[in-house]
Amino acid sequence: MQPLNTNEPPNQRSQTPPNPLPPPKAVGHAVFRPPQETPRKSSQRSTTNVTEHRPEVLKEMRTEMIVCSTWDGFYQYLPDVGVSDMEAEIDSAATDLTDHQLLCEIEEKQLRFQDFLDRPSTMNTGEEKCFKPHVSICGVLANRTLNNRKASSNLVQEPRKYSVAETDGANFKADAYLRLQQTTMPEIETTSKQHIADMAVPCEYKLKTKDAVQNREQLLGTATFCMNDDPRRMHIYGITIEDSTMAVWYFSRSHSAKSPDFDFVEDPRRYIRIMLSLLFANEEELGYDQTVQRHLVPEQEEHHLVPEQEVPEQKKMLCLVYQVKDRYFKTRRAIFDQRGLCITGRATRVWEAIEVQSLQNLQPVDNATPVVLKDVWLDSESKTESENLRSVFDKLKEIAKGLENGGDEPKAFGGMEDDQKELLRQCLMEGSWKKYFLTVVCDWQGRVSKKVPEGAQHFPTLFDLPPSTSIPSSHPHADRSRSTTSHPGNRLQPVEEQPPRHYRPKRQYRVVFSEVCEALHDVRTLDDVAIALRDCVFALQLMFVAGWVHRDISTGNIYAFRGPKSEDTRGILADLEYAKPFKPGDVEGSSDPKTGTAYFMAVEIQKQVPIYNPDWGKTPIRGYEWGPKSVISSELSNTGEAACQDEPETPSFVLHNFQHDLESIFWIVLWTLLARFPPTQRSTEEQRKFEAELYSIFQNASTCPPGRERVFTRRGELKRVLLTWVPEILKPITPDLEQIRVVLNQAYFTRRLDIGNFSTYPRLHHEMRSMLAGWIGWLSNAELPELTSCSSMQDPGPVAASSAVSSPNQVPVKREHSQSTASRSGDDQRFKVPRLPEATDVASSRPRHRKNSAQ
C-alpha cells in the first residue's frame, strides 16, 4: 500500500484548523492508578490522509484489540452462512479447486495450492504477482452456491488503484479487497472509480514476516477510514498475510478482534473455510446496515420540487435515509461527524434531516419540517438519552406535585436563597422545564455488537516491533566495560499497565429531535453565548433538584435555539446519554471507555484526585486558593491534628458531582474568551507565547495539564492570563470570571470530602447565573466583533488566535468501578496534539444578523 502523493504540507488537515504547537514529550514511566469514576484515554479526530494517521491509529487501537486463542472462539465473529456441514462444503470446494488446477495433493491427504507450493518469501517475484493467485482461488469459490446462496462479493487485487470516498483523506491503496458484487452506491456517470463503500473486506499483503506490524498498521488505517467514511458500517472484517502467515480481523464499535495466525500454505482447508464465510455472507453479515440507504438527490433546496431526472448530475449530492422504527428521515446536511482515530466508541453522527415516505421514496411526508437526527452507539445495558430525559422529567413532576400539595421542600432547596427557590418553584409549577431540553420526536434501539468469546484476551504487544539486539563493537581493542556499565534508569522498564476491560457490547441508538439549533461553539455573538450558558446553568439546576448529574458538559452539548423573533433565543442542554442519578455511595461502573470533552472537564475529574486535601489544615501551601479566608484562618490556627481528626479518608477516585458540571461551564467561558474572540494585533513572538499559554491550559488529553491546574487553583494565575491575553474591550467582564474561580475553589474546600452535602451547591448555580445574566446586559449594548466559528477555523490560512487550541474534541472515558475492586486503573498518561472542533451538533443555517455590528 502506497500513500497518495499530494502537494499538501504534511501536517495540514482539511477538517481541522492549522495544527497547534506540539505537546511536550512524555517523560518517565507509566503509573498504575486506581480506576476512577471516569478513567480516560485521549482520542483524536481523523481528518486528513490516512497514511499520516496510521501511527496514531495504531496507538489508539492498542487497548481495543483482543486476540482469540482458538479458532472456535473466532468463528463466532465470522458470518454464519447457515451451513450445517461445513467440512463437507470444504471438501466439495477443494474438489472444484483441484478441477481448476488450483489445488493439488503433494502427499497423501496433504493439500497445497498449486501456486503456493513454496512460501511467498522464497519466490523471486514482487508482492503483487506473488499474491495474485488468491484472486483465481476466490473466483472459483465465488462461482459456487452455498446453502442456496450466491456469493455477495469477489476478491479484487488493485494495489495501484485509488478508491473514491465521501470524506477527505482516502490517500491509500489496499493491496486487495472483497468487493461487493452489487454496489451500495447510486449510479454516478462522472466517475468510473470504485467507491470505498463497496470495499467489504480490505486485505494487506507482505512478503516478509518482519513487516507484520507495518501490515497491521495499514489494515487498521484502512478499516478506521471505512468505518468513519461510511455511515452504513456496523462492523468490518480485514485480512493480513505476511509470507504464508494469515490472520482475519474483526473491527466493531465495542472492540476489535484478531484470529489466531495460521499458515495458508500448510492449511489450505482453513483458508477455504474462511473465504467461504466471507464470500457468501450477505451485506448485513458483512457489516452493512440495512436500515440506512444511500441516494443521489438534487443539491439545492429549490431543486427538490423538480423531477430528479431533470437535475444535472453536477448539481446532485449524496444523502442518506435512516429508518427510525416505522419512520424514515432523509439527511440534508451533516452537523456533527465524529471521525475518531479509534474505531471503538460512540461514533456519533448528527444530521439535519426531514421525514420522508420510506427508504426508497424520498417524497417528504405531509407538513414535514426540518429535524435533527442523532445516530450513536451506546453501551448495550446503558439508558438512552430519551430514557434519561424521561426519568429527569418524571422526578421534576413528582417534586412539583409535592410542592403543589403543600409537601416538604426537596432536598436540593436546602441552603438555597429565597429568590432561587421562587424561580425554581415557578418553573416546576408551570411545568416549563422542558424548554431547557431537546424535544424527542422518536427514537429507536437497533443491533447489538458481538460479545467477546470465552478465552479471548487483550494482547498488549500485538502492535509492538520485534525487540532489537545491540550490534557488538567490531573494534579489536575496545574497552568492553564501557558497554556494560549500568544506570539506575536501566532498572525501570516503561510499563503502561491497563485496567481489566470487559469490552461490553454496544447497541445502535437513533433519536430524532424537533429543535434545529446551533452548537455553542458555532454561535457567532458573545451575548448569545452568554444567553445559552445562562439557560444551561438553569437546566443544570433543574437536574440538581431532580438529583441528576450530566457528566458531559461541552460546547457540543449546549445549543442556542432561535425562535421566530430575535429575542426568543434560548439555551438548550442536550446529550444526557451519560447522565445518571447522583448517589455518593454508588461506585459501580464499567471499565470500558466512554467519551467526554477534555477541554471542559473539571480538574478533579481529569486528575482523579480531590482538590481539597485534609493536610492543608496542618501545613500551609503558598499561593493556592483553599477557601474563605475565615475558614483558612481557623484551620491554620489549629497546629495539631484536631482540625482534621474527623476527616474521612481521602478517596482513591473522584465521583462526578454537581460542581463538576458547573466547573465545565467555567472552562467553556474561558475557552470562548481566549480561543474564539478575534485577537488583537500581536507580534510573532507574542503570538508564539499566546499559543504556548493556551496549549498549557487546553489539551485534548485525558490527564490534567499542570498549566490548567494552576489556572484554576493557584491564586492570581487566572487573573494574569486574562489581563495578558483578553482583548481590552472585554476587560470589564474578566473580574467576574476570577470571582467564579474563587467561589468554585471555596466550595471544594468548604464541602471538604462530603460531596453528598446538597447545601453546598446552590450558591454555585446562583453565582454562575448571576455572572452570565450581568454579562448579557452589558454585551447586548456593546459593539463587538463576531466570534470565530469552529467550522470556519477549519480553513487553512494564517495563524489565528484559536490555532493554538483545537476544537473541543471528545476523549473516551471510563466510568467508575466498584470500590471493592482490588486493582484500579488511572488516567492515560499520554499527551496528544489537539485538533480544533469540527462543526458539531445541531446548527441552524439561517443567517445571523445583528444590529449595530459590522457586517
Side-chain angles (χ1 to χ4, degrees), residues 120 137 154 161 186 189 288 382 434 572 627 700-701 714 784 819:
I137 296 169
N154 60 291
K161 187 175 181 180
E189 297 177 357
Y288 291 90
S382 68
K434 291 184 179 180
I572 290 180
N700 279 327
R714 200 171 185 87
L784 301 174
Q819 195 170 12

Side-chain angles (χ1 to χ4, degrees), residues 135-345:
V135 176
S136 301
I137 296 169
C138 290
V140 171
L141 296 178
N143 284 331
R144 296 171 47 79
T145 58
L146 192 68
N147 194 28
N148 296 321
R149 294 189 184 200
K150 292 185 177 180
S152 63
S153 61
N154 60 291
L155 184 65
V156 176
Q157 184 170 319
E158 299 174 333
R160 302 177 186 275
K161 187 175 181 180
Y162 293 104
S163 297
V164 176
E166 293 180 62
T167 54
D168 297 344
N171 69 327
F172 63 91
K173 305 172 185 176
D175 289 331
Y177 56 94
L178 294 189
R179 180 173 62 193
L180 294 178
Q181 295 195 17
Q182 184 174 351
T183 180
T184 64
M185 297 296 297
E187 185 177 349
I188 303 175
E189 297 177 357
T190 55
T191 180
S192 60
K193 293 183 178 180
Q194 184 65 38
H195 200 283
I196 281 178
D198 295 333
M199 184 184 290
V201 182
C203 309
E204 292 296 339
Y205 303 148
K206 287 290 181 288
L207 289 173
K208 304 293 184 182
T209 56
K210 66 180 181 63
D211 297 323
V213 172
Q214 181 186 358
N215 215 29
R216 295 168 183 179
E217 182 181 88
Q218 292 176 183
L219 179 68
L220 259 65
T222 301
T224 302
F225 186 88
C226 290
M227 292 286 282
N228 286 337
D229 182 71
D230 189 355
R232 298 191 64 210
R233 303 270 189 169
M234 299 181 292
H235 61 262
I236 189 172
Y237 295 96
I239 292 174
T240 54
I241 298 178
E242 300 92 27
D243 192 8
S244 61
T245 302
M246 179 170 168
V248 187
W249 303 70
Y250 165 85
F251 304 96
S252 77
R253 295 303 182 186
S254 63
H255 70 283
S256 298
K258 176 186 173 294
S259 74
D261 291 330
F262 77 101
D263 192 317
F264 78 89
V265 172
E266 298 282 345
D267 193 358
R269 290 182 63 87
R270 192 175 302 282
Y271 178 93
I272 294 171
R273 162 74 172 84
I274 291 167
M275 299 314 297
L276 287 176
S277 293
L278 295 174
L279 289 167
F280 288 89
N282 59 37
E283 284 189 12
E284 188 169 2
E285 291 166 338
L286 287 172
Y288 291 90
D289 192 341
Q290 300 303 296
T291 64
V292 184
Q293 295 296 321
R294 192 181 277 102
H295 294 272
L296 193 65
V297 298
E299 182 177 1
Q300 300 299 330
E301 194 70 33
E302 57 267 22
H303 289 155
H304 287 186
L305 302 178
V306 180
E308 185 173 323
Q309 61 271 21
E310 297 180 12
V311 179
E313 184 173 297
Q314 61 269 24
K315 293 189 177 181
K316 294 182 179 181
M317 62 179 287
L318 291 170
C319 76
L320 298 161
V321 178
Y322 282 84
Q323 182 176 350
V324 183
K325 288 185 177 176
D326 58 349
R327 302 173 71 172
Y328 306 90
F329 297 88
K330 178 176 73 69
T331 62
R332 302 176 71 179
R333 66 184 180 92
I335 295 170
F336 177 76
D337 194 351
Q338 185 183 332
R339 300 172 57 216
L341 296 179
C342 182
I343 294 176
T344 305

Side-chain angles (χ1 to χ4, degrees), residues 374-424:
K374 181 178 180 179
D375 185 25
V376 66
W377 287 82
L378 302 176
D379 286 354
S380 60
E381 298 177 358
S382 68
K383 298 290 186 180
T384 67
E385 184 166 2
S386 178
E387 290 172 333
N388 284 340
L389 266 176
R390 194 179 306 119
S391 296
V392 172
F393 289 172
D394 287 347
K395 185 63 178 179
L396 292 175
K397 289 178 186 176
E398 178 187 328
I399 294 171
K401 186 176 181 179
L403 292 174
E404 186 179 4
N405 295 333
D408 294 336
E409 290 183 339
K411 181 180 180 181
F413 275 25
M416 193 178 290
E417 298 291 338
D418 290 341
D419 57 342
Q420 290 189 75
K421 290 183 183 179
E422 184 57 32
L423 190 64
L424 287 165

Side-chain angles (χ1 to χ4, degrees), residues 658-828:
F658 304 104
Q659 180 163 346
H660 296 141
D661 286 341
L662 288 168
E663 187 183 321
S664 293
I665 301 294
F666 163 84
W667 291 112
I668 288 173
V669 172
L670 181 60
W671 177 80
T672 302
L673 295 180
L674 294 177
R676 292 197 59 204
F677 198 83
T680 56
Q681 191 68 30
R682 300 190 183 106
S683 66
T684 302
E685 180 62 18
E686 288 175 331
Q687 182 66 21
R688 187 193 64 79
K689 291 180 179 179
F690 171 71
E691 292 177 358
E693 183 90 78
L694 238 59
Y695 184 74
S696 72
I697 303 171
F698 296 104
Q699 297 178 18
N700 279 327
S702 305
T703 51
C704 180
R708 180 184 182 86
E709 183 181 7
R710 285 196 302 271
V711 161
F712 185 71
T713 61
R714 200 171 185 87
R715 187 181 296 119
E717 187 70 8
L718 174 65
K719 184 177 180 180
R720 178 193 63 79
V721 170
L722 293 173
L723 290 176
T724 304
W725 302 116
V726 169
E728 196 67 33
I729 194 172
L730 295 181
K731 292 292 174 65
I733 64 175
T734 54
D736 295 335
L737 190 58
E738 167 65 13
Q739 178 61 26
I740 289 295
R741 184 200 68 81
V742 172
V743 168
L744 290 170
N745 275 271
Q746 288 175 348
Y748 282 124
F749 185 86
T750 305
R751 189 182 310 112
R752 298 189 176 182
L753 302 177
D754 185 14
I755 62 174
N757 184 353
F758 273 58
S759 64
T760 62
Y761 298 105
R763 182 194 174 197
L764 306 181
H765 293 101
H766 175 71
E767 293 284 353
M768 192 74 76
R769 288 192 78 249
S770 297
M771 178 192 76
L772 294 166
W775 283 16
I776 292 167
W778 183 83
L779 293 168
S780 60
N781 295 316
E783 294 193 17
L784 301 174
E786 287 192 340
L787 300 175
T788 305
S789 170
C790 290
S791 56
S792 66
M793 290 177 185
Q794 296 173 17
D795 297 328
V799 176
S802 56
S803 67
V805 179
S806 55
S807 292
N809 214 21
Q810 291 185 326
V811 295
V813 301
K814 303 175 188 175
R815 300 299 176 192
E816 65 270 20
H817 281 265
S818 170
Q819 195 170 12
S820 61
T821 303
S823 61
R824 299 182 179 275
S825 75
D827 296 342
D828 189 308

